[in-house]
Amino acid sequence: QVQLVESGGGLVQPGGSLRLSCAASGGILRIPTMAWYRQAPGKQRELVASIGSEGSTNYADSVKGRFAISRDNAKNMVYLQMNSLKPEDTAVYYCNAAIAAYYRTSLNSYWGQGTQVTVSS
């Protein structure tokens, strides 16, 4: 029963900052890739940022220079630091991870329940 739990969402004014956290737990063997996605009302879920096991990162063009993804492999956690937030960043943010569990060594994709980020004055 691998599970992901996000935290850190909330209401912030344009130009403000938020830090999202995601904790993975439940018989984890390894997590090659962790990522953050978001879904705004009326839009498809999109990849915001991802990070590999060795620290390689990639970002959506819309957040480059403003967001930073990081991970703590020892704690099976991933973070998303969001700075200079804009109204268009408003969305539900989801944690995603490709995970190999002890009971199943093949990779499975897991999702958290999501955390709401609202950027508004």
Side-chain angles (χ1 to χ4, degrees):
Q1 336 86 50
V2 172
Q3 58 186 35
L4 305 179
V5 180
E6 304 101 330
S7 62
L11 174 65
V12 64
Q13 294 185 341
S17 299
L18 283 174
R19 181 179 173 85
L20 305 183
S21 299
C22 173
S25 62
I28 295 170
L29 180 62
R30 63 187 178 93
I31 308 177
T33 302
M34 303 187 82
W36 288 96
Y37 287 73
R38 68 185 181 188
Q39 186 167 20
K43 296 184 178 181
Q44 290 293 308
R45 187 173 300 186
E46 65 174 346
L47 176 65
V48 176
S50 66
I51 183 167
S53 61
E54 297 182 6
S56 61
T57 60
N58 70 82
Y59 298 90
D61 289 340
S62 60
V63 307
K64 287 181 179 178
R66 299 189 298 118
F67 291 10
I69 187 171
S70 61
R71 65 187 291 172
D72 185 334
N73 291 332
K75 298 181 178 180
N76 287 329
M77 296 191 69
V78 63
Y79 308 92
L80 184 67
Q81 178 66 46
M82 305 184 293
N83 300 320
S84 301
L85 284 162
K86 304 175 180 179
E88 50 263 44
D89 293 319
T90 295
V92 176
Y93 284 70
Y94 298 90
C95 180
N96 173 261
I99 297 174
Y102 284 106
Y103 59 90
R104 180 182 293 175
T105 56
S106 59
L107 293 174
N108 273 269
S109 182
Y110 293 87
W111 295 89
Q113 290 296 308
T115 184
Q116 177 71 49
V117 172
T118 301
V119 185
S120 176
S121 59

